[in-house]
Amino acid sequence: MTTPINGQTTLVGILGWPVGHSLSPLIHNAEFERFHLNWAYVPLPVDPNRLSIALPGLVAAGFAGFNVTIPHKQAVVPLMDELSVQARQIGAVNTIKIHDGRLVGLNTDADGWAQDCEKLLPLRGISLAISGAGGAARAVAVAAAHAGVRSILIINRTLKAAQDLAASLQQLFPDLQVAATPRDEHGPGQQLIAQCQLLVNTTPLGMGAPSETFAVPPSWMRSDLAVYDTVYTPAKTATLQYAQALGAPTRGGLGMLAGQAALAFEIWTGILPDKERMYHLLEKKLGLC
Ligand code: NAP
């Protein structure tokens, strides 16, 4: 039975704009109920223009913490009193813990992805290609560097963004081999990706129009190139379907979503919930099982 919200309820939530589509309230509230915690996870839709007043407001209202999603993940960074090493390296925060009235910014997208991706392929020593150069790409790249990948190739529509990410990774991880290439079928990408064992899609490609559905030109994909797609709706993107048809191992982004949520739950409550249970609830909600 759901614990009713009362005067003792501890509040957490998801700060974004918009947040109506978020599946996070579902999975967190299910776990609060399971562990008999008098906690509630609520949507916190905040217009970007009001971000700087919303944060002290949540501290003043006694929130224990909150998740941060699009478009605020980078914008909250300068508003933190303290940042974890990974959040600083990534330059984005997806989880905030409020401790003694101080905002502590962390990033669980990174470890949420790495732990889930290890189910597809061990990361240590591999050559990794990342499609995209935005916030998710940064989280994946930093997590992969910490997990001991040998090299990272950044593939992006806008070459400058790929080059900037590659340069900043090189500065953070001097021993890592990094390269950047445009997402251009006739560019050097195909030759560079031939050295890689894993491709991670961190673009929204696959969620959009059919003409743009592939994370990289399909001619770059191979049976020995495993593919992780951070997109989770649809569960089987065109990129994953194409890779599977070639015989390559694949995994979708639902496990990353469950993984980052489980780590955030632990940061707030001290209890690490079962990621698989959260994953199955998401699968059920999305009608995938
Ligand atoms: P972001 O910072 O806006 O970056 C988006 C990236 O995708 C940029 O590199 C952009 O390239 C590229 N891109 C966007 N539209 C494109 C198009 N039509 N063609 C080619 N490239 C395109 O976004 P983000 O925060 O990294 O999030 C990206 C995606 O990651 C989300 O849509 C979501 O599906 C996924 N994600 C999943 C999880 C999870 O838990 N599974 C968590 C976080 C994110 P340019 O530089 O050229 O603009």
Side-chain angles (χ1 to χ4, degrees):
M1 206 184 91
T2 312
T3 314
I5 293 178
N6 57 32
Q8 273 76 52
T9 304
T10 303
L11 291 175
V12 288
I14 178 140
L15 182 93
W17 185 257
V19 288
H21 63 284
S22 175
L23 297 169
S24 295
L26 171 80
I27 48 177
H28 282 283
N29 285 321
E31 292 301 318
F32 291 147
E33 194 181 331
R34 180 169 185 95
F35 289 106
H36 306 291
L37 295 176
N38 186 0
W39 287 54
Y41 188 106
V42 296
L44 299 166
V46 172
D47 181 312
N49 295 321
R50 297 188 161 189
L51 187 63
S52 59
I53 55 168
L55 265 56
L58 292 170
V59 175
F63 272 68
F66 46 96
N67 282 129
V68 184
T69 188
I70 291 171
H72 299 317
K73 285 186 187 183
Q74 278 112 11
V76 297
V77 169
L79 304 173
M80 296 296 103
D81 296 306
E82 199 179 318
L83 281 172
S84 70
V85 172
Q86 270 202 342
R88 189 175 302 110
Q89 289 178 338
I90 295 163
V93 161
N94 82 320
T95 302
I96 293 174
K97 183 180 168 79
I98 300 174
H99 185 65
D100 289 340
R102 288 166 56 78
L103 292 157
V104 183
L106 305 105
N107 192 306
T108 65
D109 281 336
D111 285 344
W113 168 76
Q115 290 172 9
D116 194 54
C117 193
E118 292 277 354
K119 292 179 184 160
L120 177 66
L121 188 77
L123 292 167
R124 179 157 294 282
I126 68 158
S127 292
L128 164 67
I130 298 175
S131 176
R138 232 186 132 81
V140 164
V142 167
H146 282 286
V149 298
R150 193 165 65 87
S151 68
I152 298 181
L153 170 67
I154 310 289
I155 302 160
N156 198 44
R157 175 178 62 180
T158 309
L159 180 58
K160 172 79 168 65
Q163 287 169 331
D164 288 350
L165 175 52
S168 115
L169 288 170
Q170 195 67 84
Q171 207 172 11
L172 287 169
F173 306 100
D175 295 337
L176 188 69
Q177 294 173 36
V178 285
T181 192
R183 187 184 165 280
D184 170 0
E185 181 154 21
H186 307 295
Q190 184 162 17
Q191 215 179 339
L192 292 167
I193 205 173
Q195 319 301 320
C196 297
Q197 291 84 50
L198 171 65
L199 166 67
V200 180
N201 176 38
T202 67
T203 74
L205 292 169
M207 298 170 85
S211 60
E212 302 186 315
T213 48
F214 293 101
V216 294
S219 58
W220 295 8
M221 290 161 70
R222 317 179 309 267
S223 61
D224 59 348
L225 179 67
V227 180
Y228 189 104
D229 201 330
T230 66
V231 171
Y232 53 85
T233 47
K236 286 259 162 70
T237 59
T239 307
L240 292 184
Q241 287 180 36
Y242 193 88
Q244 268 179 357
L246 291 174
T250 63
R251 192 162 174 89
L254 209 55
M256 176 180 178
L257 182 67
Q260 62 77 27
L263 295 171
F265 190 98
E266 186 185 25
I267 286 165
W268 297 321
T269 66
I271 300 168
L272 180 63
D274 183 352
K275 270 177 282 191
E276 293 303 317
R277 193 169 55 229
M278 293 173 117
Y279 183 92
H280 289 309
L281 185 56
L282 289 166
E283 262 191 321
K284 209 168 135 192
K285 176 69 182 173
L286 293 171
L288 305 174
C289 62

